[in-house]
């Protein structure tokens, strides 16, 4: 077994010994997993650079990762299911429990409402991302490094892209984000240092929008440095520009870095952590020995793309030929994969064209691309059941419709029989919340109020459907996505034209909306070497579709919460950048909008709003909540909401009424 040792650093009661329904109390185990893998084993052959990593006398490559486990104190009271949570940029949290975890991670792992614990789940985490910074509250991977015959890191070419929201003098050579707000230390990654600070071949470019032409900035006007006391001080981990980086503009620096971590070791860490907990005995130091029958993986955004890539590379069989996962739930991953297993990969990168932007996008083959994302794993064996969920944001970034249309955008296509796909209608990338204004604590600012639809009840239902599918063979609800065949899929331009009639709603510039172009990754892509295209090196963009809209501007396809079926406003998966951050009309990534209905018909007339007012729709709060209750019943019958979450969804509706119908806190 690839896990050679679990170093336990703490074993203690979880949440102060709190009891969670019939499951009772939980314990928390913290420590570090130490792994050794054979780079020549077929189960590891897909990992780029593993063969160039330093080996011990037995030919094994060693690495280690942080580890956390929550499990019932009494194993008899658990459900014998393990949920692996793929940590997003190293942040610890307990998924599916509400309220959603705080933005800033802590070591306490707040149990919230204890949903997973009440259902008896065992939950585990380990690090998989090499560039997570060293921090007690973050979970990262100490990845092996690919080295040359001289024992030094190989290095290689890389592109770092960023779009500032504020003016600043220098930029760290890591992906996310640019200048984090004070206290949000997790929004930093280990940088990719320049191999040569005076490299004459390094290039810095700027453009006004993602699809716009690049302008090369004179080499004398920038350097690998950071600003200290008003002057540039050489630093291989930063880039400095004379006059500073301007808000809203998109910069790319192309250079040679000195590092070559084996990024794909993250796949092995996850796989072998799960296999260890599932199959390891007491003698091997497994704290969950004999407790686990079924295993599941859950990843959000970057981590959902990580799970898609994990299957795309066929990683789900361990060195003993056993499947690690029985079920996977990639959430808000869109149709992409990511930078998780090639040379100089940046796991957190999103928009630099790369491995994650290449087909296959759909799980099964499509007429114009003969390979499906699941094909390799299906051929090897061990293909898990998969429930894929996306918010509206992933459709507005053009990607998600490619999971169920052909590449030409002409027809709907089948998906792999082991997958179900669902759109959470009218939602943004992360769960919405009561009105927070147009700024977040970590610096994002939108032209509209942020989306308020909290989709967490839908996500909990998706997990239960996946569990029943794996454990009991109960087929989940049918796919619920925009379809060309029934007219529920439309272009973004069509949707924006309709939404532009709503007064006070800032809309995207359709010509500057995100696009996914075809491109040639170069002749060495099979060896993990990617050629990132520049101007004039990309082809036509893939067509993308979003959900059709009802008369209120709300989406008709997908799983719909009462926010849309008994609405108080219009909810979208997109939001333009706020004017003061530059890039006017461009997408504020991952953030949606909510625009409430007018309170009265008089207000509606004065504003020339095409949407009926709240007063015209609902005679009272009581009538509104009665209609919400009927909508909840329909959603439960459809499988979108769990019966146990009826009270939660009702409470969320009451909060929206207070915000939008009472006038308290309603956006102007």
């Amino acid at each position: 077994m690839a896990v050679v040792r679990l170093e336990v650093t703490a074993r203690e009661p979880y949440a102060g010994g709190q009891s969670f329904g019939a499951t009772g109390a939980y314990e928390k185990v913290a420590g570090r997993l130490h792994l050794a893998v054979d780079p020549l084993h077929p189960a590891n052959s897909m990992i780029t650079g593993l063969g160039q990593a330093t080996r011990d006398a037995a030919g094994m490559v060693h690495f280690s990762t942080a580890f956390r486990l929550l499990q019932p104190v009494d194993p008899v009271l658990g459900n014998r299911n393990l949920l692996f949570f793929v940590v997003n940029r190293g942040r610890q949290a307990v998924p599916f429990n509400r309220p959603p975890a705080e933005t800033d991670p802590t070591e306490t792992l707040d149990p919230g409402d204890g949903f997973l614990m009440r259902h008896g789940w065992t939950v585990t985490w380990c690090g998989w991302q090499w560039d997570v910074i060293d921090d007690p509250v973050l979970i990262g991977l100490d990845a092996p490094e690919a080295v040359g015959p001289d024992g030094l890191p190989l290095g290689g070419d890389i592109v770092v892209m960023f779009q500032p929201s504020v003016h600043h003098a220098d930029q760290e050579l890591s992906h996310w984000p640019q200048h984090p707000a004070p206290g949000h230390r997790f929004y930093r990654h280990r940088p990719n240092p320049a191999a040569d600070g005076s490299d004459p071949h390094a290039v810095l470019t700027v453009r006004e929008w993602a699809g716009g032409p690049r302008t090369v900035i004179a080499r004398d006007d920038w350097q690998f440095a950071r600003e200290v006391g008003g002057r540039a001080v050489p630093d291989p981990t930063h880039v400095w520009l004379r006059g500073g980086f301007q808000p809203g503009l998109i910069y790319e620096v192309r250079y040679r870095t000195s590092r070559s971590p084996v990024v794909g070791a993250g796949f092995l860490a996850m796989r072998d952590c799960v296999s260890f907990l599932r199959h390891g005995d007491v003698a091997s130091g497994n704290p969950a020995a004999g407790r686990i029958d079924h295993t599941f993986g859950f990843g959000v955004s970057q981590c959902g793309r990580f799970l898609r890539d994990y299957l795309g590379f066929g990683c789900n069989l361990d060195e003993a030929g056993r499947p690690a996962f029985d079920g996977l739930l990639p959430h808000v991953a869109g149709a992409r994969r990511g930078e998780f297993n090639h040379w100089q990969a940046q796991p957190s990168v999103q928009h630099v064209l790369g491995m994650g932007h290449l087909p296959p996008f759909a799980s099964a083959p499509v007429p114009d691309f003969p390979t499906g994302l699941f094909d390799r794993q299906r051929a090897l064996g061990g293909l898990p059941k998969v429930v894929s969920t996306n918010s509206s944001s992933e459709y507005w970034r053009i990607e998600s419709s490619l999971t169920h249309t052909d590449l030409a955008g002409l027809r709907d296509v089948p998906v792999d029989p082991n997958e179900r796909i669902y759109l959470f209608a009218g939602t943004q990338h992360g769960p919405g919340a009561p009105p927070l204004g147009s700024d977040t604590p970590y610096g994002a600012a939108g032209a509209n109020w942020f989306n308020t639809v909290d989709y967490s009840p839908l996500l909990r239902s998706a997990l239960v459907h996946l569990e029943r599918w794996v454990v009991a063979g109960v087929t989940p609800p049918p796919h619920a996505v925009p379809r060309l065949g029934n007219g529920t899929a439309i272009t973004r331009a069509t949707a924006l034209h309709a939404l532009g009639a709503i007064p006070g709603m800032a809309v995207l510039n359709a010509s500057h909306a995100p696009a996914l172009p075809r491109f040639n990754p170069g002749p060495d892509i099979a060896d993990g070497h990617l050629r990132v295209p520049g101007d004039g090196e990309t082809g036509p963009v893939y067509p993308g579709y979003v959900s059709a809209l009802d008369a209120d501007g709300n989406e008709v396809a997908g799983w719909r919460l009462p926010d849309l079926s008994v609405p108080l406003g219009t909810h979208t998966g997109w939001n333009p950048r706020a004017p003061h951050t530059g890039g006017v009309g461009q997408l504020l990534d991952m953030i949606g909008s909510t625009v409430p209905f007018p309170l009265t018909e008089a207000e509606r007339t004065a504003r020339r709003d095409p949407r009926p007012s709240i007063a015209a729709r609902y005679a009272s709060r009581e009538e509104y909540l009665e209609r919400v209750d009927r909508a909840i019943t329909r959603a439960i019958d459809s499988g979108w909401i769990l019966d146990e979450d009826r009270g939660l969804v009702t409470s969320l509706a009451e909060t929206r009424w207070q915000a939008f119908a009472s006038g308290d806190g309603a956006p102007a």
Side-chain angles (χ1 to χ4, degrees), residues 171-186:
Q171 164 68 30
E172 189 173 66
L173 293 171
S174 59
H175 167 68
W176 183 295
Q178 282 69 60
H179 280 243
H184 290 270
R185 59 190 183 276
F186 63 93

Side-chain angles (χ1 to χ4, degrees), residues 410-421:
L410 298 177
R411 72 196 84 177
D412 303 313
V413 296
V415 301
D416 190 279
N418 271 39
E419 184 183 32
R420 293 293 183 275
I421 52 176

Side-chain angles (χ1 to χ4, degrees), residues 220-544:
D220 291 344
D221 286 337
W222 68 275
Q223 55 185 290
F224 291 105
R226 56 189 174 87
E227 185 165 291
V228 178
R231 65 187 186 90
V233 176
D235 185 335
T237 67
H238 286 69
V239 60
W240 172 91
L241 175 63
R242 193 185 314 278
F245 297 102
Q246 304 303 312
L249 299 181
I250 298 174
Y251 298 89
E252 286 182 347
V253 57
R254 297 169 179 241
Y255 64 102
R256 184 171 183 82
T257 182
S258 59
R259 296 212 56 186
S260 286
V262 181
V263 182
F267 287 149
L268 305 184
M270 177 176 73
R271 180 195 72 188
D272 294 331
C273 171
V274 172
S275 283
F276 169 68
L277 293 173
R278 185 174 193 173
H279 300 294
D281 56 19
V282 173
S284 68
N286 178 12
R291 292 171 172 246
I292 306 302
D293 290 334
H294 299 97
T295 52
F296 299 80
F298 172 62
V300 178
S301 187
Q302 168 210 32
C303 304
R305 293 187 286 112
F306 181 78
L307 292 177
R308 284 173 56 82
D309 225 12
Y310 173 83
L311 292 181
F313 279 103
C315 296
N316 198 41
L317 296 179
D318 66 14
E319 291 183 353
R322 302 169 302 197
F325 289 108
D326 300 312
L328 293 178
L329 204 171
H331 176 54
V332 293
R336 286 190 288 137
R337 291 169 290 129
E339 296 209 358
F340 307 127
N341 187 28
H342 67 274
W343 296 101
Q344 283 70 55
Q346 302 171 81
S348 285
V349 79
Q350 297 188 65
H351 303 306
V352 175
L353 287 178
M355 297 284 279
H357 299 86
L358 294 169
F361 303 117
S363 55
V366 299
D368 42 359
F369 198 82
T371 303
L373 183 67
F374 293 179
D375 281 8
R376 183 170 184 177
Q377 192 69 68
R378 182 175 285 283
L380 291 170
L383 179 65
K385 305 295 187 185
V386 180
V387 169
S388 297
T389 54
N390 283 291
S391 77
S392 175
S393 288
E394 284 67 61
Y395 281 82
W396 276 87
R397 292 191 293 173
I398 209 170
E399 309 148 8
S400 281
S401 63
L402 290 169
T403 63
H404 50 84
T405 66
D406 64 359
L407 300 187
L410 298 177
R411 72 196 84 177
D412 303 313
V413 296
V415 301
D416 190 279
N418 271 39
E419 184 183 32
R420 293 293 183 275
I421 52 176
Y422 307 117
L423 161 66
F424 294 169
T427 60
Q428 66 181 21
H429 192 69
L436 298 175
S438 58
D439 291 278
T440 69
Y442 45 90
N448 300 319
W449 280 68
F450 288 173
N451 186 294
T452 63
V453 182
D454 184 344
Y455 61 63
S456 54
L458 305 180
L459 192 58
R460 299 204 311 193
S461 181
L463 175 66
V464 170
H465 283 303
L466 177 62
E467 177 192 15
R468 292 171 179 168
W469 196 11
V470 167
V471 175
V474 178
T475 304
H479 307 296
V481 294
R483 291 292 193 185
L484 293 167
N486 63 13
T488 58
I490 61 175
T491 66
R492 292 179 298 180
T494 300
L496 289 171
H497 177 76
L499 293 167
I502 299 175
M505 173 177 272
V507 297
L508 297 172
N509 181 336
S511 65
H512 288 182
L516 182 56
R518 301 168 188 258
F519 71 97
N520 182 350
D524 300 320
I525 189 65
D527 296 325
H529 292 281
L530 176 74
R531 182 182 65 192
V532 178
D535 286 341
E537 296 179 329
T538 58
V541 300
Y542 295 104

Side-chain angles (χ1 to χ4, degrees), residues 137-189:
V137 304
L138 300 177
I139 293 181
L141 176 73
D142 184 12
E145 189 93 17
V147 298
D150 56 3
L152 298 177
L154 293 172
D157 296 331
I158 196 169
V159 176
V160 173
M161 186 176 80
F162 52 99
Q163 185 177 27
S165 292
V166 296
H167 177 274
H168 54 87
D170 56 37
Q171 164 68 30
E172 189 173 66
L173 293 171
S174 59
H175 167 68
W176 183 295
Q178 282 69 60
H179 280 243
H184 290 270
R185 59 190 183 276
F186 63 93
Y187 275 117
R188 289 189 58 233
H189 292 94

Side-chain angles (χ1 to χ4, degrees), residues 590-666:
M590 301 182 287
I591 302 296
S593 303
T594 286
V595 180
F597 298 144
L599 283 172
T600 65
E601 284 299 286
E603 180 184 339
R604 175 195 182 191
T605 300
R607 294 171 52 183
R608 298 183 179 179
D609 197 317
R611 306 167 301 166
S613 67
I614 293 175
R617 295 167 186 264
Y618 314 109
S620 65
R621 173 180 177 276
E622 289 68 30
E623 180 190 334
Y624 165 73
L625 291 177
E626 287 174 4
R627 290 173 59 179
V628 165
D629 190 65
R630 293 195 294 271
I632 294 173
T633 298
R634 292 192 297 271
I636 291 173
D637 292 343
S638 299
W640 305 346
I641 296 173
L642 301 174
D643 186 65
E644 68 179 272
D645 278 339
R646 179 184 290 273
L648 168 60
V649 180
T650 300
S651 175
L652 292 171
E654 290 174 335
T655 300
R656 304 296 181 263
W657 179 271
Q658 181 65 26
F660 297 140
S662 70
D664 297 343

Side-chain angles (χ1 to χ4, degrees), residues 14 20 26 68-71 79 81-88 90-102 105-106 108-126 139 296-301 303-304 307 325 328-332 389 431 454-464 466 642 644-645 648:
Y14 173 58
F20 297 95
Y26 267 66
R68 302 288 185 274
L69 176 76
L70 299 178
Q71 63 182 2
N79 67 3
N81 292 330
L82 174 73
L83 180 67
F84 182 94
F85 179 42
V86 187
V87 290
N88 189 294
R91 294 174 292 174
Q92 302 178 59
V94 184
F96 299 99
N97 292 3
R98 289 195 79 267
E102 293 294 324
T106 68
T108 58
L109 292 173
D110 187 344
D113 67 1
F115 174 83
L116 287 178
M117 288 76 208
R118 287 186 281 107
H119 284 261
W121 285 86
T122 295
V123 189
T124 192
W125 305 253
C126 81
I139 293 181
F296 299 80
F298 172 62
V300 178
S301 187
C303 304
L307 292 177
F325 289 108
L328 293 178
L329 204 171
H331 176 54
V332 293
T389 54
D454 184 344
Y455 61 63
S456 54
L458 305 180
L459 192 58
R460 299 204 311 193
S461 181
L463 175 66
V464 170
L466 177 62
L642 301 174
E644 68 179 272
D645 278 339
L648 168 60

